[in-house]
Amino acid sequence: KAGVTQTPRYLIKTRGQQVTLSCSPISGHRSVSWYQQTPGQGLQFLFEYFSETQRNKGNFPGRFSGRQFSNSRSEMNVSTLELGDSALYLCASSLGTGTDTQYFGPGTRLTVL
Amino acid sequence: SQKIEQNSEALNIQEGKTATLTCNYTNYSPAYLQWYRQDPGRGPVFLLLIRENEKEKRKERLKVTFDTTLKQSLFHITASQPADSATYLCALLLMDSNYQLIWGAGTKLIIKP
């Protein structure tokens, strides 16, 4: 079974631009969660999508948004990029039933100049 | 306030010894707790899950305990090896959380040969 894939793996943007990151979950998984991780920080939860609906949301500004498609693939968008948005963005897929584990992708390393 | 605490300082252990990592939480009623391993620049990988009605869970050289009275989980690696060096994260699923995991910041473990 193929793992979680994220594209692109690396991205360099400048302040003010916007970016879209993509995540393809494991086949059969209906939940996709997005996290931001910066050096020395733990996983900061952005949001979770389950069956195309946002089920949970973290404490991030509205510049961070996401969506999920009918095939469970998910995209995350960050508008008006700031230097502080430089981070490793991870997505994780799961069955979404509550007792299952999360399978993480390799992440997208975003650098904002 | 609600929080999860893991040792922020790196834990240095001599090869062959048992490494013990701590995950403390306050004001939560977790349904279960998970432990993950994360290597630099990569997504976390699931290791073990323990439910609130379980005291201990084992998997090869790994052992997890869960004390809901003390609000603490201990993660043990016996006969530690340099390859065990990584950051270890704990995550709680709360009973009324709409399936959202709450993450600790992680503890960096260094096994010295």
Side-chain angles (χ1 to χ4, degrees), chain B residues 4 6 23 32-36 89-93 101-104:
Chain B
I4 300 175
Q6 294 186 257
C23 177
Y32 65 76
L33 186 146
Q34 300 179 351
W35 283 89
Y36 288 76
L89 304 163
C90 67
L92 303 181
L93 180 78
L101 282 172
I102 312 297
W103 292 82

Side-chain angles (χ1 to χ4, degrees), chain A residues 35 37 55-56 98 101-102, chain B residues 32 36 38 93 98-99 103:
Chain A
Y35 297 89
Q37 189 174 40
R55 186 163 69 173
N56 289 293
T101 62
Q102 297 204 334
Chain B
Y32 65 76
Y36 288 76
Q38 185 176 24
L93 180 78
N98 199 25
Y99 306 124
W103 292 82

Side-chain angles (χ1 to χ4, degrees), chain A residues 27-85:
Chain A
S27 178
H29 284 188
R30 297 166 64 188
S31 170
V32 174
S33 297
W34 287 90
Y35 297 89
Q36 181 195 69
Q37 189 174 40
T38 52
Q41 296 289 319
L43 293 174
Q44 304 297 311
F45 174 73
L46 282 154
F47 30 66
E48 182 222 0
Y49 285 87
F50 180 80
S51 294
E52 302 179 65
T53 300
Q54 188 180 83
R55 186 163 69 173
N56 289 293
K57 187 177 187 305
N59 296 320
F60 276 79
R63 299 186 298 108
F64 293 83
S65 63
R67 59 177 176 170
Q68 187 179 34
F69 302 96
S70 58
N71 61 358
S72 292
R73 189 178 71 85
S74 178
E75 288 183 345
M76 188 192 89
N77 184 275
V78 187
S79 63
T80 319
L81 284 167
E82 301 177 358
L83 295 178
D85 296 333

